[in-house]
Amino acid sequence: MNSSRYTHGSLDLNTANLPSHVAIIMDGNGRWAKKRLLNRIKGHEKGSETVRTIIRTCRELKIPVLTLYAFSTENWQRPKLEVAALMTLLKKFLESEQKEMIDNNIRLNAIGQIDLLPQNVYQSLKKVMDLTKKNNGLILNLALSYGGRAEIVKMVREIAQKMKDGLINSDSITPELVSEHLYTRGMPDPDLLIRTSGEMRISNFLLWQIAYAEIFITDTLWPDFSKEEFITILKNYQLRDRRFGKVVP
Ligand code: IPE
Ligand code: IPE
Ligand code: MG
């Protein structure tokens, strides 16, 4: 009985019915900094501490997959200085977390057009992905230079090529085949999608995969998002009635 419960302070969570995949739109770093009259970069720095906390919590809870939206295809249009600072921060993060990921059986996987990342960041990323590729604990997907539409275009191109090569015909195109051609192939779709800082939008994130995700939007800005709030959201998720279009008796 006890083994299926997780306690944190006054919070008590049943670990038997947790999501298989949690996806998070980590938003609000800029507003967090602005509120404190700080540079937006400070908000991103503080946000990376929250990333660490949430990864640890997922690992402790044995959640199989965590996908974090860290940088979108649209984010390339931000001021050069901010993009550069985000890239530097990403590189630092990969270097500082490498050991923790190896020691804790975490498999790092990147989703998105990672070839567009600066060369040095790309190399750090590849290195940690390579060092952790045999791990079979938490899969940590970092969405980097990620866009849901670009992912769908990539999938369509790959399937079109297979048809052209005579490997498949149009009847072979099923939802399963589509999923096989997305960055998340082989992984369960997100059961829970969290967005911080209150915006009621998807911002081009995992468009196909979130078809039946439970959505939770909190006003908390990402740097202020805590383990307590995460656990509270997981408890709320467990109370949702997931009908998948059916009538539940
Ligand atoms: C999220 O915080 C981080 C990234 C998109 C890289 P924002 O930078 O979008 O913060 P706000 O939305 O301006 O507050
Ligand atoms: C979404 O946040 C992208 C990431 C969290 C990486 P944005 O701040 O870029 O999204 P919009 O501009 O509010 O849609
Ligand atoms: Mg934002």
Side-chain angles (χ1 to χ4, degrees):
M1 180 72 199
N2 246 356
S3 60
S4 66
R5 306 216 67 97
Y6 179 91
T7 43
H8 178 70
S10 61
L11 290 165
D12 176 51
L13 178 69
N14 177 0
T15 53
N17 177 30
L18 286 171
S20 295
H21 183 168
V22 176
I24 308 183
I25 303 175
M26 311 184 289
D27 199 15
N29 294 349
R31 276 162 280 178
W32 183 92
K34 196 173 174 196
K35 255 177 48 183
R36 288 163 178 77
L37 306 177
L38 296 169
N39 188 293
R40 293 177 57 84
I41 313 299
K42 290 280 171 219
H44 297 312
E45 284 171 9
K46 186 75 183 161
S48 72
E49 291 174 26
T50 308
V51 172
R52 210 165 282 140
T53 306
I54 298 308
I55 295 172
R56 269 191 201 150
T57 307
C58 285
R59 181 169 59 70
E60 285 168 16
L61 292 171
K62 301 196 166 50
I63 288 174
V65 188
L66 171 67
T67 301
L68 298 174
Y69 203 5
F71 194 85
S72 72
T73 47
E74 289 74 23
N75 289 151
W76 288 114
Q77 295 163 59
R78 290 190 178 196
K80 261 202 175 83
L81 267 176
E82 181 169 347
V83 172
L86 281 165
M87 293 301 144
T88 304
L89 196 59
L90 172 60
K91 190 166 187 295
K92 272 198 206 153
F93 179 84
L94 290 165
E95 283 160 3
S96 67
E97 298 315 291
Q98 172 179 320
K99 188 174 181 308
E100 175 147 352
M101 290 192 225
I102 295 169
D103 291 350
N104 291 292
N105 201 20
I106 294 173
R107 174 151 70 89
L108 179 72
N109 181 51
I111 67 170
Q113 293 168 283
I114 56 167
D115 51 314
L116 298 181
L117 298 172
Q119 193 59 25
N120 62 346
V121 179
Y122 178 84
Q123 272 158 3
S124 294
L125 185 64
K126 278 281 183 197
K127 183 178 155 216
V128 184
M129 280 166 58
D130 201 49
L131 285 168
T132 62
K133 71 178 178 212
K134 295 223 167 74
N135 289 352
N136 60 6
L138 173 71
I139 297 176
L140 172 62
N141 286 323
L142 279 188
L144 295 168
S145 190
Y146 174 87
R149 286 189 164 182
E151 181 180 35
I152 287 170
V153 168
K154 174 182 115 39
M155 171 273 292
V156 172
R157 284 188 181 149
E158 286 175 12
I159 291 179
Q161 188 63 47
K162 278 194 174 168
M163 268 184 76
K164 200 174 155 215
D165 295 344
L167 296 169
I168 56 168
N169 58 40
S170 62
D171 291 336
S172 323
I173 305 174
T174 59
E176 291 72 29
L177 185 78
V178 167
S179 295
E180 274 301 296
H181 286 271
L182 299 177
Y183 294 119
T184 47
R185 69 186 144 273
M187 300 175 198
D189 286 335
D191 298 298
L192 173 64
L193 172 69
I194 300 171
R195 181 169 188 146
T196 57
S197 87
E199 307 299 353
M200 302 283 184
R201 57 177 171 258
I202 296 299
S203 302
N204 203 13
F205 191 41
L206 301 177
L207 298 179
W208 170 275
Q209 297 90 331
I210 58 166
Y212 257 106
E214 294 297 325
I215 300 175
F216 200 101
I217 294 172
T218 168
D219 285 333
T220 306
L221 305 173
W222 179 251
D224 290 328
F225 190 70
S226 63
K227 179 170 179 173
E228 289 71 22
E229 185 167 7
F230 184 41
I231 292 174
T232 305
I233 292 174
L234 290 168
K235 285 171 77 73
N236 179 292
Y237 162 84
Q238 292 176 325
L239 298 173
R240 300 263 182 110
D241 187 9
R242 302 189 77 194
R243 287 187 289 277
F244 298 99
K246 300 172 209 160
V247 176
V248 175

